[in-house]
Amino acid sequence: RDYPDYYVIIRQPIAMKTIRRNAKARRYTSVADFHRDWKLMFDNARTYNEEGSMVYDDACTLQRALEATLSEKTGDSFATAMGTQSPLPAAFSAALQQSASALPPAAAPKASTSPGAVFAGNGVASPTAPSAPTDNHYDAVPNGDESHGPGL
């Protein structure tokens, strides 16, 4: 695995691919269940990545967009608190930083599924994404499998 410490830190990993598959299979019995999985993914991204990093900030931006869209479409409030859900102890964080240099470089990013695809055909508008930078800064799921890297 590209990020061996990920599963030590993140107890309930989930990927957009999993959420999309669950939505297509109609496994969500409520909008709240659908929201819960997205929030878990955003919380995981903020827990694993440093505050102020692009992944951390993108998790906040995407969560706000999702919650605004769900609130608008349902009339219920889906706004929830944002921030690192389980901060790492300083000693553990320092050890992770030291071991990071020993890890091989991440695999080249692959094309990813747009978060808006989850909304397609379900009568819910896709959130408007900000224009993407010229380089793709998202970490892709390695080899298209269910491994969950530190990115969204």
Side-chain angles (χ1 to χ4, degrees), residues 1-142:
R1 301 209 174 184
D2 291 332
Y3 305 96
D5 62 333
Y6 187 79
Y7 296 95
V8 173
I9 297 166
I10 303 300
R11 301 281 182 212
Q12 285 186 274
I14 190 164
M16 285 192 297
K17 183 178 181 177
T18 302
I19 297 169
R20 181 173 185 251
R21 187 179 317 125
N22 288 343
K24 280 185 154 188
R26 300 189 182 277
R27 290 190 182 112
Y28 295 112
T29 59
S30 68
V31 177
D33 290 341
F34 177 72
H35 174 254
R36 191 174 303 113
D37 274 357
W38 280 103
K39 183 160 179 355
L40 174 61
M41 186 188 72
F42 299 139
D43 289 345
N44 288 349
R46 285 189 294 265
T47 298
Y48 190 79
N49 295 279
E50 283 187 32
E51 187 171 354
S53 70
M54 282 194 277
V55 173
Y56 185 104
D57 292 344
D58 287 348
C60 292
T61 299
L62 290 169
Q63 183 175 342
R64 280 191 292 272
L66 173 73
E67 290 175 350
T69 300
L70 294 178
S71 296
E72 177 186 326
K73 296 296 180 180
T74 65
D76 295 329
S77 176
F78 283 91
T80 57
M82 291 185 216
T84 301
Q85 301 302 307
S86 55
L88 299 175
F92 187 60
S93 183
L96 288 177
Q97 292 299 324
Q98 287 178 336
S99 65
S101 62
L103 295 174
K110 295 183 180 182
S112 62
T113 303
S114 164
V118 172
F119 296 99
N122 294 328
V124 178
S126 173
T128 304
S131 60
T134 55
D135 62 330
N136 185 356
H137 63 272
Y138 294 100
D139 291 328
V141 175

